[in-house]
Amino acid sequence: MNITLDEIQNFIAVVDTGSITAAAQQLEQTVSAASRSLARLEQKLKTTLLRRTTRRLELTDEGEAFLERARDIVAAVETAEEQMAARRGRPAGRLRIDAASPFMLHVVVPLVAGYRERFPDVELELHSSEGYIDLLERRTDVALRIGRLKDSTLHARPIGTSQVRCLASPAYLAKHGRPRKVSDLRKHALLGFTEPESLNEWPLLDESGQRVRIKPTIGVSSGETLRQLALEGNGIVCLSDFMTRGDREAGTLVPVLSKHIAELRQPINAVYYRNTAISARIASFVTYLAEAIGEHGFDR
């Protein structure tokens, strides 16, 4: 039969990306080459693995059964590579990391060069998603998550915390005035999230001692978009320090209502499935990240 590892990896990529074209891009090959590889695999197995419709590809029953074995084969090969690298004392292999776009841009990306210099045999694959993802379905080794974890099937390693505070640009405050008490927020443009609603609960206490939940003047789905809106003078925002340390140091965003802020530290965790033994490459990255964030997080 002589099935090759390349054919197996091509099949998995087609399933995970949802199309032959996307799989070809991921594998850095032509669409025709990816299509021929899938056809050869089906011919060797003498079965149809994927049912092609006008809109998408669907796994057949045989395809689902083979996919499970295919993932095991690729995982076994990666483990073998890692074990050989470990014998040389160096983590190696592909490491798939997922994080929300702001954390990826402001924390992970600036650390990539230093990590790669220390661990050159690890092949990083970075993905950004705004919501929680299925790590297995997305073939993710480790996800970096901000806030309280809900999924009990995940193993988590804390790597730091990040304070949440209210901020505005000097230009906005010069034009609209600085709020002196929490009730003054009613007179200001407030920048918040469209979802989830919990992110619009700010670490401020109103006159009755209750946490303030704002109604956004401008609502968006991305924390990075909120940051850019605040930098452009569109209103007051409440963001985590990991996104705004550079802005605060440069003075392009300044804290407001600091005396009224109730301490709110968001935990930052690296998560992976409990039934997955933590590999040398995961451990190397998570440890590097935790050391870089440090004891004081992003307060500076």
Side-chain angles (χ1 to χ4, degrees), residues 33-48:
S35 180
R36 287 196 301 271
S37 176
L38 179 60
R40 281 198 308 272
L41 181 61
E42 289 183 323
Q43 186 177 15
K44 290 177 181 180
L45 293 173
K46 295 182 172 57
T47 189
T48 300

Side-chain angles (χ1 to χ4, degrees), residues 26-140:
Q26 183 185 94
L27 298 172
E28 297 182 348
Q29 61 184 19
T30 65
V31 175
S32 59
S35 180
R36 287 196 301 271
S37 176
L38 179 60
R40 281 198 308 272
L41 181 61
E42 289 183 323
Q43 186 177 15
K44 290 177 181 180
L45 293 173
K46 295 182 172 57
T47 189
T48 300
L49 299 173
L50 289 164
R51 189 178 297 111
R52 299 157 180 78
T53 68
T54 54
R55 293 188 176 181
R56 58 179 179 174
L57 297 172
E58 294 180 349
L59 280 168
T60 62
D61 290 343
E62 292 78 11
E64 288 186 3
F66 184 74
L67 178 63
E68 183 178 353
R69 296 299 182 189
R71 292 197 193 280
D72 289 342
I73 291 168
V74 172
V77 171
E78 290 179 349
T79 299
E81 290 178 343
E82 187 173 321
Q83 288 174 345
M84 292 302 99
R87 292 173 70 91
R88 303 192 304 269
R90 289 164 42 147
R94 183 173 298 174
L95 180 62
R96 304 172 184 89
I97 301 163
D98 183 274
S101 298
F103 195 82
M104 185 68 76
L105 291 171
H106 293 281
V107 182
V108 177
V109 169
L111 296 176
V112 165
Y115 175 80
R116 291 280 298 128
E117 185 175 348
R118 187 181 298 183
F119 303 104
D121 295 333
V122 177
E123 302 168 17
L124 290 178
E125 191 174 292
L126 306 179
H127 299 271
S128 296
S129 57
E130 303 311 318
Y132 284 178
I133 63 166
D134 185 316
L135 301 190
L136 290 180
E137 183 179 321
R138 291 281 293 271
R139 299 172 65 223
T140 298

Side-chain angles (χ1 to χ4, degrees), residues 258-298:
S258 297
K259 295 181 180 178
H260 301 274
I261 291 287
E263 172 122 347
L264 174 60
R265 286 193 166 275
Q266 294 178 316
I268 305 170
N269 287 282
V271 298
Y272 48 90
Y273 275 101
R274 282 182 172 175
N275 60 359
T276 301
I278 186 164
S279 69
R281 59 183 180 272
I282 292 177
S284 70
F285 182 81
V286 173
T287 299
Y288 187 88
L289 198 60
E291 290 175 352
I293 292 174
E295 180 181 353
H296 299 290
F298 306 93

Side-chain angles (χ1 to χ4, degrees), residues 205-222:
L205 301 180
D206 61 19
E207 297 86 346
S208 62
Q210 299 298 311
R211 189 69 66 85
V212 170
R213 183 176 289 246
I214 66 137
K215 181 178 181 181
T217 308
I218 303 176
V220 302
S221 60
S222 162

Side-chain angles (χ1 to χ4, degrees), residues 228-243:
Q228 293 293 336
L229 285 168
L231 286 168
E232 293 296 327
N234 287 286
I236 298 173
V237 72
C238 187
L239 291 173
S240 191
D241 278 356
F242 75 81
M243 294 180 61

